[in-house]
Amino acid sequence: MARVIHNLLLFVIRLALKIRVLGYWSLIYAYCALCTIVALLKLWWNIVLRPTATFQWVIRETPPACLNDTSLGTHCYVRIKESGLRFHYVAAGERGKPLMLFLHGFPEFWFSWRYQLREFKSEFRVVAIDMRGYGESDLPLSTECYRFDYLVTDVKDIVEYLGYNRCCLVGHDWGGTIAWLFAIHYPEMVTKLIVLNCPHPSVFTDYALRHPSQLLKSSHFFFFQLPRFPELMLSINDFKALKALFTSRSTGIGRKGRWLTAEDLEAYLYALSQPGALTGALNYYRNVFSSLPLSHNHVRSPVLLLWGERDAFLEQEMAEACRLYIRNHFRLNIISGASHWLQQDQPDIVNTLIWTFLKEGEGRKSYRN
């Protein structure tokens, strides 16, 4: 009798798990369908208002001068033996100094760290990479090539290629997600972790499922699951949607005096208008639902989390919740009036807070190999 009850309980548990998984994926596909309908309505409205301009966009042939600014560093390339991919990065500061590695988010590239490259090159070997699928790094088009484990391994291989066994790791947005994961899986290689406007992945998963408001702000995660159509919507009207991400009143850089110049904006359009560039960038999203939740999630490095108060995509409540997963010193700074594009919006404040964090605890000697 006991065995029958035991088997019945196992059956119920397995059935409940299957129903939960089915409900999870049903929610995802239903939300994808809803986002698709909204996007189709936007496309139709664009065609009505601008029938000739809607399907016109220009591939930028020549990089703007700001991308060759020598004060930002030297353009370098490395081919990783493990993956066979070639990565582009910009490096400044003396070789042999402690390594500070920067990981950008969507839809950016190394250029988003220009203020930090200038600031920290005096005491660090600063390196801002074009992540897999971005900028001048290789752009594998298969969605499978953007699994979390591959993206984390890229960081490990680049750190070791540069001649280091540890670094101060700085990440924003998607780069922040990879930075969190790298610190979880390779704690011995991260002396200090600095994340901008990106919650711990486990915090994001738990919070989004319990807060419809965050689910709504994350609607692009669902829309980007579709093949090809998101690339079209980001391209129409000469990449109007991409321009709006950085410049609109609701999502763009909000601080007067830090708005992107026309040349800065062209730098982003130069990178993202190249063949395959949008697909590479969007493929980060196309693996996310099969990669979460995490099996390991504790961070043992000291962590600085910087958060723009006006982030249009991520709710501020997630920032404090990250403390649950950190087994070391944790500092959180909410920056008033700052947007999601924090390191470009408020570079002076960001740089000052990073310096303060770097000087805490063990001091800068702890960064040396």
Side-chain angles (χ1 to χ4, degrees):
M1 184 67 180
R3 186 176 181 84
V4 172
I5 294 173
H6 175 73
N7 289 338
L8 181 61
L9 285 173
L10 284 178
F11 173 77
V12 170
I13 291 170
R14 289 169 183 164
L15 180 62
L17 183 61
K18 289 180 179 179
I19 292 173
R20 186 177 178 181
V21 170
L22 180 63
Y24 174 72
W25 285 107
S26 297
L27 174 65
I28 289 172
Y29 286 122
Y31 205 8
C32 286
L34 177 62
C35 293
T36 303
I37 293 170
V38 173
L40 284 169
L41 290 173
K42 288 182 179 178
L43 178 59
W44 174 81
W45 188 243
N46 265 281
I47 294 172
V48 170
L49 293 179
R50 292 173 288 271
T52 57
T54 296
F55 296 104
Q56 293 182 3
W57 54 85
V58 177
I59 296 175
R60 275 61 178 175
E61 301 289 346
T62 306
C66 59
L67 294 184
N68 294 314
D69 184 348
T70 55
S71 72
L72 297 177
T74 304
H75 292 260
C76 308
Y77 300 86
V78 52
R79 187 171 295 279
I80 302 299
K81 291 182 180 179
E82 185 70 24
S83 65
L85 298 179
R86 189 185 78 153
F87 287 85
H88 166 257
Y89 63 92
V90 173
E94 293 180 20
R95 296 177 186 272
K97 284 188 174 182
L99 175 63
M100 181 179 284
L101 186 66
F102 296 95
L103 309 178
H104 64 81
F106 172 88
E108 300 177 290
F109 64 121
W110 72 266
F111 186 66
S112 68
W113 298 109
R114 56 197 178 280
Y115 296 110
Q116 288 67 46
L117 288 170
R118 290 194 185 101
E119 177 70 20
F120 295 101
K121 68 182 180 181
S122 59
E123 296 198 27
F124 290 86
R125 177 65 171 171
V126 290
V127 174
I129 67 172
D130 280 339
M131 296 178 68
R132 173 188 296 229
Y134 279 95
E136 294 184 55
S137 292
D138 281 350
L139 283 72
L141 296 182
S142 169
T143 306
E144 181 69 15
C145 294
Y146 294 83
R147 284 174 16 197
F148 281 169
D149 53 337
Y150 292 154
L151 301 172
V152 169
T153 301
D154 287 344
V155 177
K156 177 179 180 290
D157 290 342
I158 289 169
V159 170
E160 291 176 345
Y161 168 82
L162 293 170
Y164 292 83
N165 54 34
R166 54 184 177 170
C167 67
C168 174
L169 189 60
V170 187
H172 169 251
D173 187 78
W174 259 107
T177 297
I178 305 308
W180 283 115
L181 294 172
F182 186 80
I184 290 167
H185 292 287
Y186 297 100
E188 73 284 355
M189 296 186 71
V190 181
T191 52
K192 288 196 174 182
L193 176 65
I194 300 168
V195 179
L196 289 75
N197 281 80
C198 179
H200 186 290
S202 294
V203 169
F204 178 79
T205 304
D206 294 342
Y207 187 90
L209 290 175
R210 291 185 290 107
H211 293 82
S213 55
Q214 178 57 58
L215 210 58
L216 184 62
K217 290 182 178 180
S218 303
S219 59
H220 57 289
F221 275 70
F222 299 88
F223 176 56
F224 291 165
Q225 302 307 307
L226 301 172
R228 299 185 182 178
F229 188 46
E231 284 91 328
L232 172 65
M233 291 301 296
L234 290 173
S235 301
I236 62 173
N237 294 314
D238 197 28
F239 305 99
K240 181 181 178 181
L242 290 175
K243 296 174 188 175
L245 278 176
F246 295 108
T247 61
S248 73
R249 188 180 297 272
S250 59
T251 65
I253 294 173
R255 185 183 175 193
K256 189 176 181 180
R258 290 297 180 188
W259 295 330
L260 293 183
T261 66
E263 188 177 41
D264 292 339
L265 196 55
E266 275 301 306
Y268 281 104
L269 296 182
Y270 169 76
L272 292 164
S273 68
Q274 303 306 312
L278 283 174
T279 298
L282 292 171
N283 276 342
Y284 280 70
Y285 291 91
R286 289 166 176 159
N287 269 303
V288 68
F289 293 115
S290 58
S291 300
L292 296 172
L294 303 178
S295 54
H296 305 287
N297 50 29
H298 291 141
V299 178
R300 295 180 176 83
S301 309
V303 176
L304 170 64
L305 178 58
L306 301 178
W307 201 278
E309 181 189 38
R310 287 184 55 255
D311 193 315
F313 309 103
L314 298 166
E315 295 190 352
Q316 186 176 311
E317 287 75 13
M318 287 188 287
E320 182 61 40
C322 294
R323 190 183 301 273
L324 296 171
Y325 297 98
I326 296 164
R327 299 294 181 262
N328 205 312
H329 173 63
F330 175 62
R331 175 183 287 273
L332 169 63
N333 290 105
I334 308 293
I335 300 179
S336 177
S339 69
H340 179 74
W341 320 105
L342 188 53
Q343 72 270 32
Q344 301 178 79
D345 192 328
Q346 305 274 10
D348 296 337
I349 294 175
V350 166
N351 293 347
T352 298
L353 291 171
I354 291 176
W355 275 126
T356 300
F357 177 68
L358 293 174
K359 293 174 183 177
E360 291 176 344
E362 299 176 359
R364 295 182 193 172
K365 288 184 179 179
S366 66
Y367 296 93
R368 299 191 180 278
N369 288 327

